[in-house]
Amino acid sequence: MLEPHDFQKNALLGLLPEDELGRLMPHFEEVTLTLGQSLCESGQHMHHVYFPLDSIVSLLCVMENGASTESAVVGYEGVVGVSLFMGGETTPSRAIVQSAGKALRLKGQLLKNEFYRAGPMQRLLLRYTQALLTQMAQTAVCNRHHNLDQQLCRWLLLSLDRLQGNELIMTQELIANMLGVRREGGTEAAGKLQRAGLIAYHRGHIHVLDRQGLEERVCECYSVVKDEYDRLLNHHNVM
Amino acid sequence: MLEPHDFQKNALLGLLPEDELGRLMPHFEEVTLTLGQSLCESGQHMHHVYFPLDSIVSLLCVMENGASTESAVVGYEGVVGVSLFMGGETTPSRAIVQSAGKALRLKGQLLKNEFYRAGPMQRLLLRYTQALLTQMAQTAVCNRHHNLDQQLCRWLLLSLDRLQGNELIMTQELIANMLGVRREGGTEAAGKLQRAGLIAYHRGHIHVLDRQGLEERVCECYSVVKDEYDRLLNHHNVM
DNA sequence: AACGTTATGTGCGGTAGCGTACAGAGATTA
DNA sequence: TAATCTCTGTACGCTACCGCACATAACGTT
C-alpha cells in the first residue's frame, strides 16, 4: 500500500487537498519505467495515466520517414495521458521513457471519473495542460530560431529540473533524436559544452558540472517555459 | 440581436445542443476584426473569448529580440482564449488577426461560468484544446524537419481551410513573419509556387489557383493536423 | 585474449536559409 | 506630374546543419 508521502513526489498530486487525494489513493499503483519504454503509441488508446516520480517521459512527434522530434517533456511536475481527460482518448504523439524511474499510474477511467467531478483535480489537470501548451509552442519557436548549442542547453536544463541528481543516463544518439538532429550534430554540440567545462560525458552518462554555465548559454525558451510552469502550478495560484 | 444561424458559422458553437447555446446566446456580440489587430498580448488578461466566423487569428510566440513564429492558427473551427477556461488566465503567446473578418465574442466570465457547469460546452472546449495541442506539436516538428517550400504550402492550406474564398489578403512579409523566416525567404518560396502555377499573387493579394497542387507538395504535417481536428471535432464523436 | 557491439570523434562536400544590400515596379500622396 | 511609400525580386558571401564515410575507443561476451 502506498503511503501519503509517496504522492508528494509528484508535484501535481502533491498540490491536491488531502481528502481529494484520499479518494483515489487506493487505486494508484507504483510502476517502474525503463529507458525507451513506450507509454503511448500514436493513435492508440491508453489504459492508464502516469504521474512520474523520478522518471522522465518525452512526448515525441514521429513522422512517416521515422524521423522524430520531442515536442514536450514530462517529469514529476506533470502527467502523461492528457488526451484521456481532454476527451480525445488518443493522440498522434508517442510517449517514450527518457529517464528510467518510478511513476504512479491510475486506470484511465478512474481519472476521468475524478476529472468529471469538476473539482480540484480538474482544475489542476487543466492548468497543467495549459503549461504543456506553452512548452509545445515554445519548442516550435525554438526549433525555428535557435541554434543547436542553445537547444541542447535547454534540453539538458529541462531534464535536470526533473531529476534529483546531476547525472543523465543518455547517449548522444538519443539526445539527437529528441532534438531532431543528426547524431553527429549532437556530438559536436555536446563536445563544445564539454570543452567549456559545463558537462562531462562518457558512454551514455552525462554529468552536469556547471549548471549556471548552462543557464548562461541557454536561450530564453528555457525560462519562458519554466516560469510558466511555476506560475500555473504554484500552490498559491492553483487552489 | 443575433440569429441562431449566425452561430452556425463557428464550428464549435454549431456543435452545441440548442438549449446549451440558447442560454448563452443573448450574451454574444458580433465584432469585426481588422488585419493586424491584437486580441491578446503576452501575459495580459483577456476580457473576452473570440469565436471567429470568417476571420483568422494567429497565435504567435514572440521572442525578446522581436522575432516571432506562429505556433497555431485559429479560424471558424475554434476559439481564441483557451487560457481563460484552462485556468491560467494569461499566456505567453500573442493572438494577432491574420485575416480580417467577423467573430462572436463573449465575456470571459460568462464562458467560464458555462465551462464550470461541466456540460457539453466544457467537453467541446476541451476537445478543441486537444486539437490545438496537436497543431502546436506538429508545428514544432515541421519547423525542424521540413523546408520552407513545404511549410509555406502547409500554411496556405491551413489558411485556405478557414476562408470561404481562395484569396488571401497577405503580404509576403507577413507570411514570412508567421513562418519565422526572412521576407526574402518567403518571396523565394512564393515565387516557386507561382512559377509552378499553383498560386498568383500581387501586392498583398494571393490567389490560390491549384489547391490540389499545393496538397501534392505539402508535408504530412498538414494532414496530421487536419485529420486530428476532424476526428476531435466531428459531430458524431463529440456529443 | 579475441571478438563483436556500442558510443563517440572527425572530415568533407552539399545546401537551405541568413544578413545585407540594392533595384524596380505598383500604389499613394502632394 | 512628381515624390514617396509599399511590395516584390535578386544577388552574394556566410553559417549551421545535413548526409555520408570512416576511424577510434570502451565495453561485454565467450
Side-chain angles (χ1 to χ4, degrees):
Chain A
M1 183 61 183
L2 293 165
E3 297 294 323
H5 90 272
D6 292 322
F7 295 87
Q8 299 298 317
K9 294 182 197 158
N10 179 277
L12 284 185
L13 298 178
L15 282 170
L16 278 179
E18 230 171 84
D19 52 330
E20 298 287 327
L21 188 56
R23 196 164 45 230
L24 282 172
M25 221 143 70
H27 305 290
F28 275 99
E29 55 180 323
E30 190 176 273
V31 291
T32 299
L33 306 182
T34 59
L35 182 62
Q37 180 181 348
S38 164
L39 300 185
C40 175
E41 285 297 315
S42 172
Q44 297 295 304
H45 282 261
M46 296 183 72
H47 300 119
H48 299 84
V49 289
Y50 294 81
F51 294 85
L53 302 179
D54 56 354
S55 50
I56 304 183
V57 177
S58 284
L59 305 186
L60 297 178
C61 259
V62 184
M63 297 191 310
E64 288 160 4
N65 66 11
S68 69
T69 296
E70 184 183 273
S71 59
V73 60
V74 183
Y76 74 94
E77 85 297 341
V79 59
V80 179
V82 300
S83 65
L84 282 175
F85 56 81
M86 293 297 281
E89 294 291 332
T90 67
T91 149
S93 292
R94 294 179 70 197
I96 299 294
V97 177
Q98 182 206 104
S99 179
K102 304 282 187 186
L104 297 177
R105 79 176 187 186
L106 186 62
K107 282 223 163 62
Q109 192 56 54
L110 290 170
L111 183 83
K112 280 194 273 186
N113 293 343
E114 181 66 24
F115 184 86
Y116 294 136
R117 299 172 75 105
M121 180 66 112
Q122 184 181 84
R123 274 208 302 286
L124 199 57
L125 291 175
L126 291 184
R127 291 181 79 97
Y128 171 68
T129 304
Q130 190 187 332
L132 205 56
L133 273 169
T134 298
Q135 190 181 166
M136 288 185 178
Q138 203 68 37
T139 302
V141 75
C142 192
N143 281 351
R144 166 65 70 199
H145 288 288
H146 297 138
N147 62 23
L148 187 48
D149 295 18
Q150 293 186 298
Q151 292 182 39
L152 177 58
C153 289
R154 169 176 64 86
W155 191 88
L156 288 171
L157 286 169
L158 285 175
S159 296
L160 211 54
D161 288 343
R162 286 156 178 79
L163 292 169
Q164 45 272 82
N166 61 346
E167 182 191 9
L168 292 85
I169 313 286
M170 200 65 172
T171 65
Q172 297 181 7
E173 169 126 41
L174 281 174
I175 295 180
N177 283 340
M178 297 294 174
L179 295 177
V181 298
R182 292 180 315 157
R183 194 270 308 166
E184 295 90 328
T187 296
E188 198 177 331
K192 282 189 207 170
L193 294 183
Q194 177 156 260
R195 284 190 290 278
L198 306 182
I199 64 173
Y201 56 83
H202 180 67
R203 292 187 70 77
H205 294 243
I206 301 181
H207 282 266
V208 175
L209 304 175
D210 179 1
R211 188 194 160 106
Q212 198 185 336
L214 289 179
E215 288 180 356
E216 283 163 13
R217 294 200 172 205
V218 74
C219 52
E220 65 199 83
C221 301
Y222 168 67
S223 63
V224 169
V225 170
K226 184 166 169 34
D227 292 349
E228 188 70 354
Y229 271 78
D230 289 347
R231 180 182 78 85
L232 288 168
L233 300 173
N234 166 297
H235 190 278
H236 179 68
N237 290 333
V238 73
M239 285 301 152
Chain B
M1 182 62 184
L2 293 164
E3 297 293 322
H5 90 273
D6 292 320
F7 295 88
Q8 299 297 316
K9 295 182 198 159
N10 179 276
L12 284 184
L13 298 178
L15 282 169
L16 278 179
E18 229 171 86
D19 53 329
E20 297 287 329
L21 188 55
R23 195 164 44 230
L24 282 173
M25 221 142 70
H27 304 291
F28 276 99
E29 54 181 323
E30 190 176 275
V31 291
T32 300
L33 305 182
T34 59
L35 182 62
Q37 181 181 350
S38 163
L39 300 185
C40 174
E41 284 298 313
S42 173
Q44 297 295 305
H45 282 261
M46 296 183 72
H47 300 120
H48 299 84
V49 290
Y50 295 81
F51 294 84
L53 301 178
D54 56 354
S55 50
I56 305 183
V57 177
S58 283
L59 306 187
L60 296 178
C61 259
V62 184
M63 297 191 312
E64 288 160 5
N65 66 10
S68 68
T69 297
E70 183 184 273
S71 59
V73 59
V74 183
Y76 75 94
E77 85 297 341
V79 59
V80 178
V82 301
S83 65
L84 282 175
F85 56 83
M86 293 298 281
E89 295 291 331
T90 68
T91 148
S93 292
R94 294 180 71 199
I96 299 294
V97 177
Q98 180 206 106
S99 178
K102 303 282 188 186
L104 297 177
R105 78 175 189 187
L106 187 61
K107 282 224 161 62
Q109 192 56 52
L110 290 171
L111 183 83
K112 280 193 272 185
N113 293 345
E114 181 66 25
F115 184 86
Y116 294 136
R117 299 172 75 105
M121 181 66 113
Q122 185 181 83
R123 275 209 300 287
L124 199 57
L125 291 175
L126 291 183
R127 290 180 80 97
Y128 171 69
T129 304
Q130 191 187 330
L132 206 56
L133 273 169
T134 297
Q135 190 181 165
M136 288 185 178
Q138 202 69 36
T139 302
V141 74
C142 192
N143 281 351
R144 166 65 71 198
H145 288 289
H146 297 136
N147 62 24
L148 187 49
D149 295 19
Q150 292 187 300
Q151 292 182 38
L152 177 58
C153 289
R154 169 175 64 85
W155 191 90
L156 288 171
L157 286 169
L158 285 174
S159 296
L160 212 54
D161 288 344
R162 286 157 179 79
L163 292 169
Q164 45 272 80
N166 60 347
E167 183 191 9
L168 292 85
I169 313 284
M170 201 67 172
T171 65
Q172 297 182 7
E173 170 127 41
L174 281 174
I175 295 181
N177 283 339
M178 297 294 172
L179 295 177
V181 297
R182 292 179 315 155
R183 193 271 307 166
E184 294 89 331
T187 296
E188 198 177 331
K192 282 190 206 169
L193 294 184
Q194 176 155 262
R195 284 190 289 278
L198 305 182
I199 63 174
Y201 56 82
H202 180 68
R203 293 188 69 76
H205 294 245
I206 302 181
H207 282 267
V208 175
L209 304 175
D210 179 1
R211 187 193 161 106
Q212 198 184 336
L214 289 180
E215 289 180 355
E216 284 162 13
R217 293 202 173 204
V218 74
C219 53
E220 65 199 86
C221 301
Y222 168 66
S223 62
V224 169
V225 170
K226 183 166 169 35
D227 292 350
E228 188 70 354
Y229 270 77
D230 289 346
R231 180 182 79 85
L232 288 168
L233 300 173
N234 167 298
H235 190 279
H236 180 67
N237 291 332
V238 74
M239 285 301 152

Coordinates of all heavy atoms in Angstrom, one line a residue, chain A residues 130-187:
Chain A
Q130 N -2.4 23.5 -19.8 CA -2.0 24.8 -20.3 C -0.5 25.0 -20.3 O 0.1 25.5 -21.3 CB -2.7 25.9 -19.6 CG -2.5 27.3 -20.3 CD -3.0 28.5 -19.6 OE1 -3.9 28.4 -18.8 NE2 -2.4 29.6 -19.9
A131 N 0.1 24.5 -19.3 CA 1.6 24.6 -19.2 C 2.2 23.8 -20.4 O 3.2 24.2 -21.0 CB 2.1 24.1 -17.9
L132 N 1.6 22.6 -20.6 CA 2.1 21.8 -21.7 C 1.9 22.5 -23.0 O 2.8 22.5 -23.9 CB 1.2 20.5 -21.7 CG 1.8 19.3 -22.3 CD1 3.2 18.9 -21.7 CD2 0.9 18.1 -22.2
L133 N 0.8 23.2 -23.2 CA 0.6 24.1 -24.4 C 1.8 25.0 -24.6 O 2.3 25.2 -25.7 CB -0.7 24.8 -24.3 CG -2.0 24.2 -24.8 CD1 -3.2 25.0 -24.4 CD2 -2.0 24.0 -26.3
T134 N 2.1 25.7 -23.5 CA 3.2 26.7 -23.6 C 4.5 26.0 -24.0 O 5.3 26.5 -24.8 CB 3.4 27.4 -22.2 OG1 2.2 28.1 -21.9 CG2 4.6 28.3 -22.2
Q135 N 4.8 24.8 -23.4 CA 6.0 24.2 -23.7 C 6.1 23.8 -25.2 O 7.1 24.0 -25.8 CB 6.2 22.9 -22.8 CG 7.6 22.3 -23.0 CD 7.8 21.1 -22.2 OE1 8.8 20.4 -22.4 NE2 6.9 20.7 -21.2
M136 N 5.0 23.3 -25.7 CA 5.0 23.0 -27.1 C 5.1 24.2 -28.0 O 5.9 24.1 -29.0 CB 3.7 22.2 -27.5 CG 3.6 20.8 -26.9 SD 2.2 19.9 -27.4 CE 2.5 18.4 -26.6
A137 N 4.4 25.2 -27.7 CA 4.6 26.4 -28.5 C 6.0 27.0 -28.5 O 6.6 27.4 -29.5 CB 3.6 27.5 -28.0
Q138 N 6.6 26.9 -27.3 CA 8.0 27.4 -27.2 C 9.0 26.5 -27.9 O 9.9 27.0 -28.5 CB 8.3 27.6 -25.7 CG 9.4 28.6 -25.5 CD 9.0 30.0 -25.8 OE1 7.9 30.4 -25.5 NE2 10.0 30.8 -26.3
T139 N 8.7 25.2 -27.9 CA 9.5 24.3 -28.7 C 9.5 24.6 -30.1 O 10.5 24.6 -30.8 CB 9.1 22.9 -28.4 OG1 9.1 22.6 -27.0 CG2 10.0 21.9 -29.1
A140 N 8.3 24.9 -30.6 CA 8.1 25.3 -32.0 C 9.0 26.5 -32.4 O 9.8 26.4 -33.4 CB 6.7 25.5 -32.4
V141 N 8.9 27.5 -31.6 CA 9.7 28.7 -31.9 C 11.2 28.5 -31.7 O 12.0 29.0 -32.5 CB 9.2 29.9 -31.1 CG1 9.6 29.9 -29.7 CG2 9.6 31.2 -31.7
C142 N 11.5 27.7 -30.8 CA 13.0 27.4 -30.5 C 13.5 26.6 -31.7 O 14.7 26.9 -32.1 CB 13.1 26.7 -29.2 SG 14.8 26.5 -28.6
N143 N 12.8 25.7 -32.2 CA 13.3 24.9 -33.3 C 13.5 25.8 -34.5 O 14.4 25.5 -35.3 CB 12.2 23.8 -33.7 CG 12.3 22.6 -32.8 OD1 13.2 22.5 -32.0 ND2 11.3 21.7 -32.9
R144 N 12.8 26.8 -34.6 CA 12.9 27.7 -35.7 C 14.1 28.7 -35.6 O 14.9 28.9 -36.5 CB 11.6 28.5 -35.9 CG 11.7 29.7 -36.8 CD 12.0 29.3 -38.2 NE 10.8 28.7 -38.8 CZ 10.9 27.9 -39.9 NH1 12.0 27.7 -40.5 NH2 9.8 27.4 -40.4
H145 N 14.3 29.2 -34.4 CA 15.2 30.4 -34.3 C 16.5 30.2 -33.6 O 17.4 31.0 -33.7 CB 14.4 31.5 -33.5 CG 13.3 32.2 -34.3 ND1 13.6 33.0 -35.4 CD2 12.0 32.1 -34.3 CE1 12.5 33.5 -35.9 NE2 11.5 32.9 -35.2
H146 N 16.6 29.1 -32.8 CA 17.8 29.0 -32.0 C 18.7 27.9 -32.5 O 18.2 26.9 -33.1 CB 17.4 28.8 -30.5 CG 16.7 30.0 -30.0 ND1 15.6 29.9 -29.2 CD2 16.9 31.3 -30.2 CE1 15.2 31.1 -28.8 NE2 16.0 32.0 -29.4
N147 N 20.0 28.0 -32.3 CA 20.9 27.0 -32.8 C 21.0 25.8 -31.9 O 20.5 25.8 -30.8 CB 22.2 27.6 -33.2 CG 22.9 28.2 -31.9 OD1 22.6 27.7 -30.8 ND2 23.8 29.1 -32.1
L148 N 21.7 24.8 -32.4 CA 21.7 23.5 -31.7 C 22.3 23.7 -30.3 O 21.8 23.0 -29.4 CB 22.4 22.5 -32.6 CG 22.4 21.1 -32.1 CD1 21.0 20.6 -31.7 CD2 23.0 20.2 -33.1
D149 N 23.3 24.5 -30.2 CA 24.0 24.6 -28.9 C 23.0 25.1 -27.8 O 23.0 24.5 -26.7 CB 25.1 25.7 -29.0 CG 26.2 25.2 -29.9 OD1 26.0 24.3 -30.7 OD2 27.3 25.8 -29.8
Q150 N 22.2 26.1 -28.2 CA 21.3 26.6 -27.2 C 20.2 25.6 -26.9 O 19.7 25.4 -25.8 CB 20.7 27.9 -27.7 CG 21.7 29.0 -27.8 CD 21.1 30.3 -28.1 OE1 20.5 30.5 -29.2 NE2 21.1 31.3 -27.2
Q151 N 19.8 24.9 -28.0 CA 18.7 23.9 -27.8 C 19.2 22.8 -26.9 O 18.4 22.2 -26.1 CB 18.2 23.4 -29.1 CG 17.5 24.5 -29.9 CD 16.9 24.0 -31.2 OE1 16.4 22.9 -31.3 NE2 17.0 24.8 -32.2
L152 N 20.4 22.4 -27.0 CA 20.9 21.3 -26.2 C 21.0 21.8 -24.7 O 20.6 21.0 -23.8 CB 22.3 20.9 -26.7 CG 23.0 19.9 -25.8 CD1 22.2 18.6 -25.7 CD2 24.4 19.6 -26.3
C153 N 21.4 23.0 -24.5 CA 21.3 23.6 -23.1 C 19.9 23.5 -22.6 O 19.7 23.1 -21.4 CB 21.9 25.0 -23.1 SG 23.6 25.1 -23.4
R154 N 19.0 24.0 -23.4 CA 17.6 24.0 -23.0 C 17.2 22.5 -22.6 O 16.6 22.3 -21.5 CB 16.7 24.5 -24.1 CG 15.2 24.3 -23.8 CD 14.3 24.9 -24.9 NE 14.5 24.4 -26.3 CZ 13.9 23.3 -26.7 NH1 13.0 22.7 -25.9 NH2 14.1 22.9 -27.9
W155 N 17.5 21.6 -23.4 CA 17.1 20.2 -23.2 C 17.7 19.7 -21.9 O 17.1 19.0 -21.1 CB 17.5 19.4 -24.4 CG 16.9 18.0 -24.4 CD1 15.6 17.7 -24.9 CD2 17.4 16.9 -23.8 NE1 15.4 16.4 -24.6 CE2 16.5 15.8 -23.9 CE3 18.6 16.6 -23.1 CZ2 16.7 14.5 -23.5 CZ3 18.8 15.3 -22.6 CH2 17.9 14.3 -22.8
L156 N 19.0 20.0 -21.7 CA 19.7 19.5 -20.5 C 19.1 20.1 -19.3 O 18.9 19.4 -18.3 CB 21.2 19.8 -20.6 CG 22.0 19.0 -21.6 CD1 23.4 19.6 -21.7 CD2 22.1 17.6 -21.2
L157 N 18.8 21.4 -19.3 CA 18.2 22.0 -18.1 C 16.8 21.5 -17.8 O 16.5 21.3 -16.7 CB 18.2 23.6 -18.3 CG 19.6 24.2 -18.2 CD1 19.6 25.6 -18.7 CD2 20.1 24.1 -16.8
L158 N 16.0 21.4 -18.9 CA 14.7 20.8 -18.6 C 14.7 19.4 -18.0 O 13.9 19.1 -17.1 CB 13.9 20.8 -19.9 CG 13.4 22.2 -20.4 CD1 12.7 22.0 -21.8 CD2 12.4 22.8 -19.4
S159 N 15.7 18.6 -18.5 CA 15.9 17.3 -17.9 C 16.4 17.4 -16.5 O 15.9 16.7 -15.6 CB 16.8 16.5 -18.8 OG 16.3 16.3 -20.1
L160 N 17.3 18.2 -16.3 CA 18.0 18.3 -15.0 C 16.9 18.7 -13.9 O 16.9 18.3 -12.8 CB 19.1 19.4 -15.1 CG 20.3 19.2 -14.1 CD1 20.9 17.8 -14.3 CD2 21.3 20.3 -14.4
D161 N 16.0 19.6 -14.3 CA 15.0 20.1 -13.4 C 14.1 18.9 -12.9 O 13.4 19.1 -11.9 CB 14.1 21.2 -14.0 CG 14.9 22.5 -14.2 OD1 15.9 22.7 -13.5 OD2 14.4 23.3 -15.0
R162 N 14.1 17.9 -13.7 CA 13.2 16.8 -13.4 C 13.9 15.6 -12.8 O 13.3 14.5 -12.6 CB 12.4 16.4 -14.7 CG 11.4 17.4 -15.1 CD 11.0 17.4 -16.5 NE 10.0 18.4 -16.8 CZ 10.2 19.7 -16.9 NH1 11.4 20.2 -16.8 NH2 9.1 20.5 -17.1
L163 N 15.2 15.8 -12.5 CA 16.0 14.7 -11.9 C 16.4 15.2 -10.5 O 16.5 16.4 -10.3 CB 17.2 14.4 -12.7 CG 16.9 13.7 -14.1 CD1 18.2 13.7 -14.9 CD2 16.4 12.3 -13.9
Q164 N 16.8 14.2 -9.6 CA 17.3 14.7 -8.3 C 18.8 14.9 -8.4 O 19.3 15.8 -7.8 CB 16.9 13.8 -7.2 CG 17.1 12.3 -7.4 CD 15.8 11.7 -8.0 OE1 15.6 11.8 -9.2 NE2 14.9 11.2 -7.2
G165 N 19.5 14.1 -9.2 CA 20.9 14.2 -9.2 C 21.4 15.2 -10.3 O 20.6 16.0 -10.8
N166 N 22.6 15.1 -10.7 CA 23.1 15.9 -11.9 C 23.7 15.0 -13.0 O 24.5 15.4 -13.7 CB 24.1 16.9 -11.4 CG 25.3 16.3 -10.8 OD1 25.3 15.1 -10.5 ND2 26.4 17.0 -10.6
E167 N 23.2 13.7 -13.0 CA 23.7 12.8 -14.0 C 22.5 12.3 -14.8 O 21.5 11.9 -14.3 CB 24.3 11.6 -13.3 CG 24.9 10.6 -14.4 CD 25.3 9.3 -13.8 OE1 25.0 9.0 -12.6 OE2 26.0 8.5 -14.5
L168 N 22.7 12.4 -16.1 CA 21.7 11.9 -17.1 C 22.3 10.6 -17.7 O 23.4 10.6 -18.1 CB 21.4 12.9 -18.2 CG 20.7 14.2 -17.9 CD1 21.6 15.2 -17.4 CD2 19.9 14.6 -19.1
I169 N 21.4 9.6 -17.8 CA 21.8 8.3 -18.5 C 21.3 8.5 -19.9 O 20.1 8.3 -20.1 CB 21.2 7.1 -17.8 CG1 21.3 7.1 -16.3 CG2 21.7 5.8 -18.4 CD1 22.7 6.8 -15.8
M170 N 22.1 8.8 -20.8 CA 21.6 9.2 -22.1 C 22.7 9.3 -23.1 O 23.7 10.0 -22.9 CB 21.1 10.7 -21.9 CG 20.1 11.1 -23.0 SD 18.6 10.0 -22.8 CE 17.5 10.8 -23.9
T171 N 22.6 8.5 -24.2 CA 23.6 8.6 -25.2 C 23.4 9.8 -26.1 O 22.3 10.4 -26.1 CB 23.6 7.3 -26.1 OG1 22.3 7.3 -26.8 CG2 23.7 6.1 -25.3
Q172 N 24.4 10.2 -26.8 CA 24.3 11.4 -27.7 C 23.3 11.1 -28.8 O 22.7 12.0 -29.3 CB 25.6 11.8 -28.2 CG 26.5 12.2 -27.0 CD 27.9 12.7 -27.4 OE1 28.2 12.8 -28.6 NE2 28.8 12.9 -26.5
E173 N 23.3 9.8 -29.2 CA 22.3 9.4 -30.2 C 20.9 9.7 -29.8 O 20.1 10.2 -30.6 CB 22.5 7.9 -30.6 CG 21.5 7.4 -31.4 CD 22.0 6.7 -32.7 OE1 23.0 6.0 -32.5 OE2 21.4 6.9 -33.8
L174 N 20.6 9.3 -28.6 CA 19.2 9.5 -28.1 C 18.9 11.0 -28.0 O 17.8 11.5 -28.3 CB 19.0 8.8 -26.8 CG 18.8 7.3 -26.9 CD1 18.7 6.7 -25.5 CD2 17.5 7.0 -27.6
I175 N 19.8 11.8 -27.5 CA 19.6 13.2 -27.3 C 19.4 13.8 -28.7 O 18.4 14.6 -28.9 CB 20.8 13.9 -26.7 CG1 21.0 13.4 -25.2 CG2 20.7 15.4 -26.7 CD1 22.2 14.0 -24.5
A176 N 20.2 13.4 -29.7 CA 20.0 13.9 -31.0 C 18.6 13.6 -31.5 O 17.9 14.4 -32.2 CB 21.1 13.3 -31.9
N177 N 18.1 12.4 -31.3 CA 16.8 12.0 -31.7 C 15.7 12.9 -31.1 O 14.7 13.3 -31.7 CB 16.5 10.6 -31.4 CG 17.1 9.6 -32.3 OD1 17.5 10.0 -33.4 ND2 17.3 8.4 -31.9
M178 N 15.9 13.2 -29.8 CA 15.0 14.1 -29.1 C 14.9 15.5 -29.8 O 13.9 16.1 -29.9 CB 15.3 14.2 -27.6 CG 15.3 13.0 -26.8 SD 13.6 12.3 -26.7 CE 14.0 10.8 -25.9
L179 N 16.1 16.0 -30.1 CA 16.2 17.3 -30.6 C 15.9 17.3 -32.1 O 15.8 18.3 -32.7 CB 17.6 17.9 -30.4 CG 17.9 18.1 -28.9 CD1 19.4 18.7 -28.8 CD2 17.0 19.1 -28.3
G180 N 15.8 16.1 -32.7 CA 15.5 16.0 -34.1 C 16.7 16.4 -35.0 O 16.5 17.0 -36.1
V181 N 17.9 16.1 -34.6 CA 19.1 16.4 -35.4 C 19.9 15.1 -35.6 O 19.5 14.1 -35.0 CB 20.0 17.5 -34.8 CG1 19.2 18.8 -34.7 CG2 20.5 17.0 -33.4
R182 N 20.9 15.2 -36.3 CA 21.8 14.0 -36.6 C 22.6 13.7 -35.3 O 22.8 14.6 -34.5 CB 22.9 14.3 -37.6 CG 22.4 14.5 -39.0 CD 23.6 14.8 -39.9 NE 24.5 15.8 -39.2 CZ 25.7 15.9 -39.5 NH1 26.3 15.1 -40.4 NH2 26.4 16.8 -38.9
R183 N 23.0 12.5 -35.2 CA 23.8 12.1 -34.0 C 25.1 12.9 -34.0 O 25.5 13.4 -33.0 CB 24.1 10.6 -34.1 CG 24.7 10.0 -32.9 CD 26.2 10.1 -32.8 NE 26.8 9.5 -34.0 CZ 28.1 9.7 -34.2 NH1 28.8 10.4 -33.4 NH2 28.6 9.2 -35.3
E184 N 25.7 13.1 -35.2 CA 26.9 13.9 -35.2 C 26.8 15.3 -34.8 O 27.7 15.9 -34.2 CB 27.5 13.9 -36.7 CG 27.9 12.5 -37.2 CD 26.8 11.8 -37.9 OE1 25.6 12.0 -37.5 OE2 27.0 11.0 -38.8
G185 N 25.6 15.8 -35.1 CA 25.3 17.2 -34.7 C 25.3 17.3 -33.1 O 25.9 18.2 -32.5
G186 N 24.6 16.3 -32.5 CA 24.6 16.2 -31.1 C 25.9 16.1 -30.5 O 26.3 16.7 -29.5
T187 N 26.8 15.2 -31.1 CA 28.1 15.0 -30.6 C 28.9 16.3 -30.6 O 29.6 16.6 -29.6 CB 28.9 14.0 -31.5 OG1 28.2 12.7 -31.4 CG2 30.3 13.8 -31.1

